[in-house]
Amino acid sequence: MELTKKGNETRKRIVDAALTLFARKGFAATGLRELANEAEVNLAMVNYFFGSKKKLLLEIIDTFFTSYISLVQSHLCGPEMPKEKIRRFIHHATEYFSANRDLLIIVLTELPHDDSEITEYKAEWVRKMITTFSDEICKPLKQIHGIDLPPVVLGPLLVSMM
């Protein structure tokens, strides 16, 4: 869908309102009318641009993980020792999380875990990161230091370090 400048602005207001409301009140507690009011748009515009509140959430998830995976790949890949890669990654990921606090809150805490479509969608993104974690950190740690750290543990470990 090709959008005009006004259409892009309207769409952005809807996403910004969703980020604020989903992060503050939660996805389930945010109604479409409330979202439209916060974005200062007609309720029909939310449906026009996204089709549903769930599809809006999926776009928010995409936004977060697209940037996050790019960050993972650009800062955990390379010839350096795992310790240097982790240090570099934590620095840049902390900046990303700080600048995108509402995105982080939504992706980590406010996803409807009882919705299999949302859960699987998020899991697809996580699986994309596991290969990078494994190849760039876990395998070198095992080869160099004998540390057997599974990649599914590394992601949450890195996030908790931040």
Side-chain angles (χ1 to χ4, degrees):
M1 156 184 1
E2 179 106 8
L3 297 178
T4 64
K5 182 178 178 183
K6 185 176 180 179
N8 281 326
E9 291 168 1
T10 300
R11 193 174 197 290
K12 183 178 179 344
R13 282 200 323 268
I14 295 168
V15 170
D16 290 346
L19 285 171
T20 299
L21 291 170
F22 293 173
R24 301 297 179 275
K25 295 182 66 176
F27 174 78
T30 301
L32 281 177
R33 288 191 197 296
E34 178 182 23
L35 178 61
N37 287 338
E38 180 76 17
E40 298 178 346
V41 300
N42 184 304
L43 178 60
M45 297 308 291
V46 177
N47 288 320
Y48 173 76
F49 286 113
F50 300 99
S52 69
K53 187 171 79 166
K54 184 195 271 188
K55 287 182 182 172
L56 175 55
L57 177 62
L58 292 173
E59 181 156 325
I60 289 170
I61 294 169
D62 276 346
T63 299
F64 176 84
F65 279 112
T66 298
S67 296
Y68 188 65
I69 286 175
S70 176
L71 190 137
V72 165
Q73 291 172 340
S74 63
H75 297 293
L76 285 183
C77 295
E80 299 93 344
M81 296 297 285
K83 180 179 175 180
E84 291 306 313
K85 292 181 199 182
I86 290 170
R87 181 178 290 128
R88 182 177 61 225
F89 170 76
I90 288 174
H91 171 76
H92 290 283
T94 301
E95 287 179 349
Y96 176 70
F97 292 160
S98 179
N100 296 282
R101 184 176 173 269
D102 288 345
L103 270 173
L104 180 64
I105 289 169
I106 293 165
V107 171
L108 291 180
T109 65
E110 288 301 330
L111 293 182
H113 300 289
D114 60 341
D115 185 317
S116 60
E117 181 183 0
I118 298 288
T119 303
E120 180 54 32
Y121 197 73
K122 183 180 173 187
E124 281 178 41
W125 281 107
V126 171
R127 283 191 288 271
K128 291 177 184 179
M129 288 186 288
I130 287 176
T131 300
T132 302
F133 288 156
S134 178
D135 293 345
E136 298 297 330
I137 302 296
C138 298
K139 287 177 184 175
L141 278 175
K142 185 164 184 159
Q143 291 170 347
I144 297 167
H145 303 291
I147 299 171
D148 191 13
L149 180 65
V152 295
V153 172
L154 180 61
L157 178 65
L158 290 173
V159 170
S160 70
M161 292 168 87
M162 294 176 248

